[in-house]
């Protein structure tokens, strides 16, 4: 990147652009991006970015994060080398990314684009991708399913290891050997299974010593009984390594055979990554595609410098190359003159790189052969160059190169030397550059250059607006208006004596004073017209806004009416559908009860269960058509009349249902209650004590872990075994059935859940063997179905 592009900060824009790329190669290429000087090439680059921008707006952006350069690994594979699992996984990742990009394009293939030449160059290879990912789990692990031979070897390995562990388990459980072992564990040393033996019993455990503990008090012995089995394991492990090497060689060979295809697809994907990165940057900057030309016309509307914070940047309009070829920008220091010419040069370079620009619609920019800039203080102590000398050195280089296809930007032209000589030199330089046909934008403080611009065709004044009242620049560029230095006004606001300011005004020439007064008059007239225009625009905007708000109100009322109508229709349909389902379920359950009744001896029980099902179904219908709501205001100030105890009946405020206290408050202050088969925890504020219900309730037996039940005969209890394994469940069930028999329960419910069915099968096997059990069955509809077992006790 040359010094002119660096002085305009193109390198910072490119670094920011690179952050939007997904692949390392694309990031590197974008950081080294150079402006293109051919008009047709710039048009092509702009169209690519614009097409990517359009596709992103409609379909989102494709992902490029999986792309990495695997050309080296592929070339070695093509030459016959065996790749590592990490390298093969990288190749698989590239193939996956390539396939994702291709699928993204297939999903929106109906939209034509100039990017299709790269999309068409991408060839997915799902066969090789699947081969790699099916065979390799990670960079250190090969899948069992990589080949039938590897699957068989590992199966034998697991079997051999299991046999060794079984023999060693017998040894460490043996009372004879336990006193000789440091710990009753099985471990490995040098890939062989061993046990830790106390050093004093070394001679009593026959076998091979493979290691010693750091303290020397323990030796790790491979008992003689498992030496041969450990040898078998070592042989199988060797076969496993050979098979893994064979698989890697086969996969490497396959990858090498697709070297050219993968390489070409990767290169196309990287190009797309760079183009979409440009489009993403455009989205972040709220950018637009400018109109291009090659004859030097620039018309930037509402242009924003891309490196200034979007919250503080001020949009400005810049024109050059149509009514005038040279723009002389004047005004006070810190007024925004340098920002203006930097914006002009940087946006021109960005357009020539194929980037969208942070400008308004109908902006236009030209393609130049050279963009030349002398901006900033580049004095060099080492080269004995002053600020003036440094600027002159750059300007000499610029004048040597500048022609009709050049854009020249000069900051503080002629500064750093005698004002009279500096102004004369600045005019001469501008004349020469203008004669060479260059498009020029220069900043200066010299009043002579303002007059020069007023009296010379093709040269125009411009100024950066400055608010004298606040001593702050507005950063608006005003073309056609020469700028005032405002030195006297600024000095006065900063506290300089009025006598000094008056004397200074007397010392300037009458011509200069007249010129400044003319500029001041023009500035006042401009501000007056702009104020009136803003007032008219504000009135127009207010009228338009009120019109839009009225339309929004009408639209929202209509939308609300339609929404309420649709909601009512949907709710009615849902109620009817739920009622139908409940009715069908009730009919099915009654039919099932009827079938069971033909085999059952107790007809009264069948009638009781049928009535119970009917009541439950009717309750469901009531819940649908007239849902229960809380009858108690949850916000009312309520204090429990006494502390709750197990067995109390309480009202759940948020559900409007009664429940029974089954456990007292935990550390969070929440009480456990049971409502039907539903057990939950709820805060005290959600409970209302039902004194009458509590006083009339029967005495309850405090449940222990595993279940809850009533003491009264014929009442149902339940035992919840969910989350336990079979052994834990049976142990808990034994304790529960013992308590159930003592309190006189005849029927209990075992809750084991559906899950995989292992716990249910284990529980039912136990029930078949238990002499206390008269019969058992799975729950029916409404009882929990296959998630519970109903047990009848003798």
């Amino acid at each position: 990147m040359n010094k002119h592009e660096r002085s305009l900060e193109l390198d910072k824009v490119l670094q920011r652009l690179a952050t939007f790329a997904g692949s390392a190669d694309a990031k590197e290429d974008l950081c080294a991006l150079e402006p293109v000087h051919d008009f047709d090439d710039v048009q092509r680059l702009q169209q690519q970015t614009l097409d990517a921008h359009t596709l992103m707006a409609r379909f989102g952006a494709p992902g490029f994060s999986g792309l990495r350069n695997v050309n080296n690994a592929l070339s070695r594979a093509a030459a016959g080398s065996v790749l590592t699992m990490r390298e093969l996984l990288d190749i698989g990742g590239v193939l996956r990314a390539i396939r994702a990009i291709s699928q993204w394009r297939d999903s929106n293939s109906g939209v034509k684009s100039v990017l299709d030449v790269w999309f068409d160059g991408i060839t997915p290879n799902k066969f090789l991708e699947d081969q790699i990912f099916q065979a390799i789990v990670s960079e250190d692990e090969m899948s069992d399913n990589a080949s039938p031979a590897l699957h068989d070897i590992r199966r034998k390995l697991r079997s051999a290891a299991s046999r060794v562990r079984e023999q060693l388990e017998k040894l460490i459980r043996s009372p004879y050997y336990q006193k000789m072992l440091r710990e009753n564990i099985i471990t490995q040393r040098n890939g062989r299974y061993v046990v830790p033996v106390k050093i004093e019993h070394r001679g009593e455990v026959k076998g091979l010593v493979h290691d010693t503990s750091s303290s020397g008090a323990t030796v790790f012995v491979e008992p003689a009984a498992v030496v041969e089995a450990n040898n078998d394991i070592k042989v199988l492990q060797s076969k496993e390594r050979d098979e893994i090497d064979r698989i890697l060689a086969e996969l490497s060979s396959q990858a090498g055979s697709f070297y050219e295809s993968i390489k070409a697809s990767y290169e196309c994907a990287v190009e797309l990554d760079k183009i979409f990165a440009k489009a993403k940057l455009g989205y972040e900057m709220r950018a637009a595609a400018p109109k291009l030309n090659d004859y030097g016309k620039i018309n930037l509307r509402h242009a924003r410098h891309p490196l200034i914070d979007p919250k503080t940047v001020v949009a400005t309009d810049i024109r050059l190359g149509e009514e005038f070829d040279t723009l002389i920008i004047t005004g006070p220091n810190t007024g925004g003159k340098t920002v203006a010419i930097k914006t002009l040069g940087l946006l021109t370079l960005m357009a020539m790189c194929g980037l969208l620009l942070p400008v308004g619609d109908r902006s236009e920019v030209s393609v130049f052969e050279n963009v030349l800039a002398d901006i900033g203080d580049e004095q060099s102590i080492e080269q004995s160059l002053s600020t003036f000398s440094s600027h002159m050195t750059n300007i000499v280089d610029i004048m040597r190169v500048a022609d009709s296809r050049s854009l020249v930007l000069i900051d503080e032209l002629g500064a750093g030397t005698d004002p009279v000589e500096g102004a004369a030199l600045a005019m001469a330089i501008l004349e020469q550059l203008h004669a060479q046909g260059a498009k020029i934008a220069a900043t200066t403080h010299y009043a002579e250059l303002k007059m020069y611009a007023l009296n010379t065709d093709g040269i125009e004044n411009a100024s950066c607006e400055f608010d004298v009242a606040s001593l702050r620049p507005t950063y608006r560029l005003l073309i056609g208006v020469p700028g005032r230095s405002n030195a006297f006004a600024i000095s006065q606001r900063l506290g300089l004596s009025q006598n000094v300011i008056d004397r200074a005004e007397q010392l300037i020439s009458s011509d200069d004073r007249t010129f400044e007064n003319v500029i001041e008059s023009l500035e006042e007239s401009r501000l007056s017209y702009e104020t009136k225009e803003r007032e008219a625009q504000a009135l127009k905007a207010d009228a338009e806004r009120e019109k839009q708000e009225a339309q929004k109100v009408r639209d929202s009322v209509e939308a609300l009416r339609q929404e309420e109508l649709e909601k009512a229709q949907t709710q009615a349909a849902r109620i009817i559908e739920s009622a139908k389902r409940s009715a069908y379920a009730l009919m099915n359950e009654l039919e099932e009860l009827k079938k069971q009744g033909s085999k059952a001896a107790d007809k009264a029980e069948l009638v009781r269960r049928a009535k119970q099902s009917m009541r439950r179904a009717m309750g469901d219908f009531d819940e649908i058509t007239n849902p229960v709501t809380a009858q108690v205001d949850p916000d009312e100030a309520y204090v429990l009349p006494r502390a709750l105890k197990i067995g109390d009946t309480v009202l759940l405020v948020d559900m409007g249902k009664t429940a029974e206290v089954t456990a007292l408050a935990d550390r969070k202050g929440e009480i456990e209650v049971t409502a039907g088969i539903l057990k939950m925890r709820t805060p005290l504020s959600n409970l209302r004590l039902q004194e009458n219900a509590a006083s009339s309730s029967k005495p309850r037996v405090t449940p222990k872990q595993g279940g809850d039940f009533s003491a009264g005969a014929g009442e149902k209890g339940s035992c919840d075994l969910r989350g336990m394994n079979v052994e834990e469940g049976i142990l808990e069930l034994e304790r529960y059935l013992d308590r159930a028999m003592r309190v006189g329960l005849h029927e209990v419910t075992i809750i084991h859940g559906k899950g995989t069915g292992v716990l249910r099968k284990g529980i039912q096997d136990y029930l078949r063997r238990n002499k206390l059990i008269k019969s058992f069955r799975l729950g029916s509809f409404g009882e929990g179905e296959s998630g519970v077992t109903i047990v009848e006790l003798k």
Side-chain angles (χ1 to χ4, degrees), residues 1 22 27 64 268 385 393 456:
M1 183 174 292
K27 291 178 185 291
F64 298 95
C268 290
L385 294 177
T393 301
T456 307

Side-chain angles (χ1 to χ4, degrees), residues 646-704:
I646 294 175
D648 280 345
T649 300
V650 293
L651 175 67
L652 297 172
V653 175
D654 57 354
M655 298 177 61
K657 295 184 179 294
T658 57
E660 181 183 343
V661 176
T662 53
L664 298 180
D666 58 13
R667 287 182 296 179
K668 298 181 180 179
E670 295 183 341
I671 298 291
E672 182 184 278
V673 298
T674 301
I677 64 170
L678 181 64
K679 183 180 292 185
M680 70 187 77
R681 284 193 173 274
T682 186
L684 278 170
S685 59
N686 190 39
L687 302 178
R688 302 290 186 269
L689 178 63
Q690 306 294 290
E691 291 285 4
N692 295 335
S695 62
S696 62
S697 60
K698 298 179 180 180
R700 306 290 290 180
V701 178
T702 302
K704 296 184 180 179

Side-chain angles (χ1 to χ4, degrees), residues 60-251:
F64 298 95
S65 58
L67 290 175
R68 55 174 50 87
N69 194 328
V70 293
N71 290 340
N72 181 42
L74 285 170
S75 63
R76 288 192 290 107
S81 297
V82 177
L83 304 182
T84 65
M85 285 191 273
R86 177 71 270 165
E87 290 173 323
L88 287 167
L89 284 174
D90 288 344
I91 293 172
V94 171
L95 292 174
R96 178 179 289 168
I98 287 172
R99 178 168 57 85
I101 295 169
S102 179
Q103 290 177 342
W104 180 88
R105 183 54 179 152
D106 290 342
S107 67
N108 52 69
S109 57
V111 180
K112 299 300 178 184
S113 168
V114 297
L115 305 181
D116 287 340
V117 63
W118 286 286
F119 281 114
D120 293 341
I122 291 178
T123 306
N125 191 337
K126 195 169 187 307
F127 167 76
L128 179 58
E129 177 191 341
D130 290 344
Q131 289 288 316
I132 292 173
F133 286 118
Q134 288 174 5
I136 303 175
V137 177
S138 69
E139 58 183 293
D140 302 315
E141 182 181 359
M142 181 76 72
S143 171
D144 291 355
N145 299 321
S147 74
L150 183 61
H151 185 277
D152 185 59
I153 291 170
R154 288 184 172 173
R155 179 183 58 78
K156 292 178 180 178
L157 263 174
R158 287 190 291 270
S159 178
S162 177
R163 290 197 302 271
V164 172
R165 293 185 68 87
E166 286 178 2
Q167 293 182 27
L168 293 179
E169 286 282 355
K170 292 178 182 178
L171 184 145
I172 65 177
R173 287 199 301 266
S174 168
Y176 174 76
Y177 285 105
Q178 281 184 348
K179 66 179 183 297
M180 305 177 189
L181 301 179
R182 180 67 60 187
E183 293 181 84
N184 294 335
I185 62 170
I186 301 170
T187 184
Q188 283 189 328
R189 289 293 187 275
N190 302 321
R192 304 178 75 87
Y193 288 97
V194 295
V195 292
V197 178
K198 298 175 183 177
I199 189 66
E200 59 267 23
H201 296 291
R202 163 66 191 88
E204 301 176 47
V205 180
K206 303 299 181 182
L208 303 175
V209 176
H210 286 278
D211 198 3
T212 305
S213 67
S214 58
S215 64
T218 305
V219 291
F220 295 92
V221 178
E222 178 186 7
V226 298
V227 169
E228 190 60 34
N230 269 330
N231 289 339
D232 293 341
I233 291 175
K234 297 294 285 186
V235 171
L236 288 170
Q237 288 174 341
S238 177
K239 290 182 178 180
E240 179 188 29
R241 287 192 296 271
D242 292 342
E243 179 61 15
I244 290 175
D245 291 342
R246 186 196 67 78
I247 295 169
L248 289 176
E250 182 178 338
L251 290 174

Side-chain angles (χ1 to χ4, degrees), residues 593-613:
L593 292 175
K594 180 179 178 182
K595 292 179 181 178
Q596 294 179 11
S598 61
K599 302 175 183 178
D602 191 357
K603 300 293 184 180
E605 175 64 14
L606 177 59
V607 172
R608 185 187 66 79
R609 288 166 56 192
K611 289 181 178 179
Q612 182 182 7
S613 297

Side-chain angles (χ1 to χ4, degrees), residues 71 98 118 262-272 274:
N71 290 340
I98 287 172
W118 286 286
I262 297 175
K263 180 182 177 184
S265 297
Y266 172 75
E267 290 172 352
C268 290
V270 168
E271 286 299 319
L272 289 169
K274 293 190 288 187

Side-chain angles (χ1 to χ4, degrees), residues 572-584:
R574 186 166 58 249
I575 291 172
I576 294 173
E577 182 63 26
S578 181
K580 287 182 179 179
R581 286 197 303 269
S582 299
Y584 288 140

